[in-house]
Amino acid sequence: MARRTSGLPLRTTTCSRSAIPGTRERFDTVPDTDTLKDRVRTAIEEHRGEIVSLATSIQDEPELGFKEVETTRKVVETFEELGLEVEEPLAVTGARARIGSGDPVIAVLGELDALVNPEHPKADPETGACHACGHHAQIATMVGTAVAFATTDVLDELDGRVDAMAVPAEEYLDLGYRRSLKDEGRIEFFGGKQELLRRGHFDDVDAAMMVHAADDTPEREVTARNSTNGFVGKFVTYTGKASHAGGAPDEGVNALNAAVMGMNGIHAARERFRDEDAVRVHPIMTRGGDGVNVVPSEVTMESYTRARTIEAIEEANDDVNAALEAGAMAVGARVEIEDEPGYMPLRTNDAMVDAYEANAADLLGEDAIVTDSPHLTGSTDMGDVSQVVPALHPWAGGFEGNVHREDFAVADEEMAYVTQAKIVAGTIVDLLADPDAVEAIRAAKASKKSREEYLEDVRAFQDRVVGDYME
Ligand SMILES: [Zn+2]
């Protein structure tokens, strides 16, 4: 048991098992899920002030991935106020609290990190970091769920444990810093959940869930049945030879020309991408030359190759790398392509989606459930988790503007910060109380990859291709 008697007074006082002998036996037969859900929702309602102010405080002090020191500290303080023992850090940053005992173990995740968009009105003036993806609201959901089970004895009536996990570095950016962490041996992967998986933090987890902000959806709606693309990340360096751009261009090797041809080669490769694979390749040039009167000798690019399945990512990525190499070949330059594991495709668990949708409908009405959910061509490292553990990753309304853009904002505090915790806590009650759901989750877990199999797959994305056509 992780619960302690010290810390914040537990305001939702309910009878404990020892205080009323016989309670356990009664619920063993028929857990009254309606009553249990009333209790977790009431607990969240009673702590709504703390939950909302934690979320807004995190929004006001955004930190980028693997740098979420203050954000982690705020979550740790909240866990400790709830009387929970805290494990930290998980992977550079991050924290976890275990509530209850036994199994199955259901982990509720909240992502700690912000992203970079200096034009966002709440962006940090120095770093450009801002919560334009609503991760601060995920922390509210995660902490609200922790409140629901830490301040009540609901878990005493159910078999299972609830782990609240504040997880680092979902946004795949600030890669120079992450490369330095990698060089120092502090991480192997750029994604926070990939690192958590590698370090074994999901080894004892039977099901994992989190709720993400929906794109431009101020309405009280949820979408829970999406899948997402996975991707491989890419760093490209073209090397040529500098010379006077006016006086002696014939003596140089133009790395920018090589890069432009490489990029156009990718565009030509697009006609080979099948619609059903949902391939997305979106290169950027990060260094295009240094002085306009010098033939560029070094040009760098970054890209992702995204697709619906691991096989489709590998296939499209081979085409992309061949196109990039062809640019070097065409002008007699050198190209070095470094592939880094991106994120794995997300596949959600039906039993968990069913329970989530039932609880969302209960609180928001049947119309709130969006069922014509398409495949999404973006990516999340929850996809990696879903390769190993049955997972739930709904998108929830209450947010206006497009995610990652400067107009992204919370439109509905109730929906963004409080309602999702009630839905998730109710979902956990239903899952743990239903032997068929527990059975379905255990069967799904048994069919997933082991940690070692997952690591083998993700490490296969790591590659270095060199094409040297310099004279
Ligand atoms: Zn996000």
Side-chain angles (χ1 to χ4, degrees), residues 111 115 133-135 138 170-171 212 403-404:
E111 295 167 346
L115 56 91
C133 202
H135 293 188
Q138 296 180 23
E170 189 275 331
E171 304 288 352
H212 198 286
V403 285
H404 295 204

Side-chain angles (χ1 to χ4, degrees), residues 14 50 88 94 123 144 146 268 270 272 435 453:
T14 45
E50 293 106 298
E88 63 147 339
R270 291 183 197 278
R272 283 166 44 79
E453 288 165 337

Side-chain angles (χ1 to χ4, degrees), residues 28 31 44 69 118 120 147 211 256 422 455 462:
D28 265 353
I44 292 163
V69 176
H120 194 279
V147 163
V211 181
L256 180 61
K422 292 180 184 174
L455 288 172
Q462 225 153 15

Side-chain angles (χ1 to χ4, degrees), residues 6 39 67 94 129 132 137 161 195 201 212 269 279 292 304 323 377 380 390 406:
S6 61
R39 278 154 60 186
K67 296 175 182 171
R161 196 177 86 199
E195 267 305 290
H201 288 294
H212 198 286
V279 178
V292 68
Y304 292 2
T377 46
T380 165
E406 64 280 4

Side-chain angles (χ1 to χ4, degrees), residues 210-346:
M210 56 171 279
V211 181
H212 198 286
D215 187 62
D216 198 14
T217 310
E219 299 85 9
R220 295 191 168 187
E221 284 178 3
V222 296
T223 311
R225 289 183 192 275
N226 306 75
S227 53
T228 69
N229 270 359
F231 76 95
V232 57
K234 190 179 296 300
F235 300 88
V236 187
T237 306
Y238 285 98
T239 310
K241 204 170 114 194
S243 66
H244 194 294
D250 53 303
E251 287 174 23
V253 174
N254 193 319
L256 180 61
N257 285 343
V260 168
M261 295 198 70
M263 205 178 281
N264 283 328
I266 292 172
H267 298 324
R270 291 183 197 278
E271 72 178 9
R272 283 166 44 79
F273 301 156
R274 289 176 296 268
D275 292 351
E276 61 267 30
D277 289 336
V279 178
R280 295 288 187 276
V281 187
H282 39 87
I284 59 165
M285 208 165 277
T286 47
R287 183 179 173 193
D290 300 303
V292 68
N293 55 359
V294 180
V295 168
S297 61
E298 184 173 292
V299 168
T300 57
M301 289 166 56
E302 288 178 20
S303 189
Y304 292 2
T305 304
R306 306 186 196 243
R308 188 192 289 259
T309 64
I310 294 171
E311 298 70 35
I313 298 168
E314 286 168 347
E315 215 176 304
N317 198 49
D318 284 346
D319 286 357
V320 167
N321 286 352
L324 288 168
E325 193 175 345
M329 187 191 291
V331 304
R334 181 184 187 274
V335 64
E336 180 175 354
I337 304 165
E338 293 165 274
D339 282 343
E340 286 288 345
Y343 297 157
M344 290 283 183
L346 174 75

